[in-house]
Structure formats: structure tokens, C-alpha cells
Amino acid sequence: MASGEEPLDLIIEKIEKLAGFGLSKHDREKTQHELSHLAIENRSALISIVHNMGPDNYDPLLEVYEALSEFPQEWCGFMLDEIDRLLESLKRGGNRKSIFEQLSAVTFFSSCDETDKNKFLKKLLKLVSSDDPQTRWFAVDTLADFATCENSEAVSVWQKTLLQDNDWRVRHAAFLILEDEGAIPARYSKPILDKIRSKISNPYKF
């Protein structure tokens, strides 16, 4: 640690560097690596900074999450809490595009151990019942990073979504996953309107 520099200042310095433009891939990875180690040594300072970033503005929050994922076992619990924090911000009218960009960071933590992976699964399975279609889409799509067709509960949720969800974009997400897993329900035929929508509209735009 440089003389006179506090951990909080060093963490902010690394985050500001990641937020800058023109950072090479090598420098970006190096800075993320340095940040991940600083975060381990100064957990409370890192969490305090994150909670004061956005989520209504992009900031470099996604970069911070990616840095933390270098040590998934240390930060899976924190990331689970961040899902709740970000979705709560959405309910308060936060920037939808920014919030879901940040939520995409959940996939960085798919390498966690089975215990933590099951915690993510439990949370995502619960979010599939959200009243918000984009939240359901996020949950259905992200489930595929934590479960395969060998997980009967996940397959059941994907199939139920495909057959019953009232938003074609959410149904489309479930269809793509089930198709990739070879688990499309027997005798299922994609509705003609869903076929047309997926051809002429953006299934990722909410």
C-alpha cells in the first residue's frame, strides 16, 4: 500500500480507473485483480462504496462485480443481497436498463460451490413468479447458468414458463433454453404469433 493512502482511497482509485475509457484489456484485468484483493482485505469499505454507487446510474458497478467474482466463495452472499438491492431500486423507479445490466453480473458467480449455487437457484426460482416481466425474463434466463436439464425443478419452471407465461419474450427465453437442453415438452408447438414476434421484434427489449 502506498504511503499515506487509506484502503478506502485505494479502492476508489481502482474503481475510478475501471470507469475510465481507453483501458487496455491487460490493464483492465490487472486493475480488477488488484481490486479483488483489496476488497478481500477491506470488505466493509468495499460494500460501503458499492452501496453508494448507483444503481440508477451505470457507474462501473458491473466491473466491480466482475472483479469480486475472482473469489466467488467470498462474495456469493453479497451478490445474493445485491440482487435484492437492485430489484428494490427498480420498484422505486430506478433506471431499468442500468439495473438489468448490473444484474447480468450474477452469471459471474456461477462457479461458486454447490451450497451457494443452490442459494442462487432458490432466489431465481422465486423471481420467476415476479409481476415484472423483465424480472421473470432475467430469472428464467439466468437459471441456465446455475442449472441444467438434470435439475428437474429448473426444467419444470422453464416448461411451465413456456406454456403459461403471459409475456412472449419470457416464453421465448424459456423456449431457447429448453431447446438447447433438449427438454421441449412433448407435443409442444410454438404459437404462430410467438414465431412472428421472435422474427420481427427484439425479444430482449423491454
Side-chain angles (χ1 to χ4, degrees), residues 140-141 143-150 155 158-159 162 171-185 188 190 204:
V140 165
D141 187 65
L143 263 176
D145 289 287
F146 294 88
T148 67
C149 61
E150 295 177 1
V155 171
W158 287 324
Q159 291 181 340
L162 177 67
R171 294 195 300 271
H172 181 71
F175 175 81
L176 292 179
I177 293 166
L178 290 167
E179 185 178 48
D180 189 55
E181 294 286 347
I184 297 288
Y188 172 78
K190 195 172 187 179
Y204 308 106

Side-chain angles (χ1 to χ4, degrees), residues 91 96 126-136 166:
K91 291 177 184 177
R96 178 172 290 269
K126 183 178 179 180
L127 290 176
V128 171
S129 300
S130 170
D131 291 334
D132 178 64
Q134 192 168 7
T135 299
R136 296 198 305 276
N166 61 15

Side-chain angles (χ1 to χ4, degrees), residues 25-58:
K25 180 181 178 181
H26 174 269
D27 286 344
R28 176 177 170 272
E29 291 175 350
K30 181 175 181 290
T31 304
Q32 284 186 330
H33 178 70
E34 292 168 347
L35 176 59
S36 70
H37 283 270
L38 276 170
I40 289 289
E41 297 164 3
N42 304 279
R43 186 181 182 89
S44 60
L46 185 284
I47 291 174
S48 176
I49 292 169
V50 167
H51 285 175
N52 283 284
M53 291 170 61
D56 290 343
N57 298 305
Y58 176 76

Side-chain angles (χ1 to χ4, degrees), residues 42-108:
N42 304 279
R43 186 181 182 89
S44 60
L46 185 284
I47 291 174
S48 176
I49 292 169
V50 167
H51 285 175
N52 283 284
M53 291 170 61
D56 290 343
N57 298 305
Y58 176 76
D59 291 314
L61 196 50
L62 194 62
E63 299 271 8
V64 174
Y65 292 147
E66 186 173 4
L68 298 182
S69 71
E70 182 176 346
F71 300 106
Q73 304 314 131
E74 294 287 339
W75 295 100
C76 277
F78 169 73
M79 196 64 219
L80 284 162
D81 291 340
E82 283 296 277
I83 295 173
D84 294 334
R85 185 176 77 91
L86 292 168
L87 289 176
E88 186 58 37
S89 176
L90 183 70
K91 291 177 184 177
R92 297 196 304 269
N95 185 313
R96 178 172 290 269
K97 182 176 183 295
S98 173
I99 288 168
F100 280 99
E101 283 179 349
Q102 292 159 16
L103 281 169
S104 70
V106 172
T107 62
F108 297 148

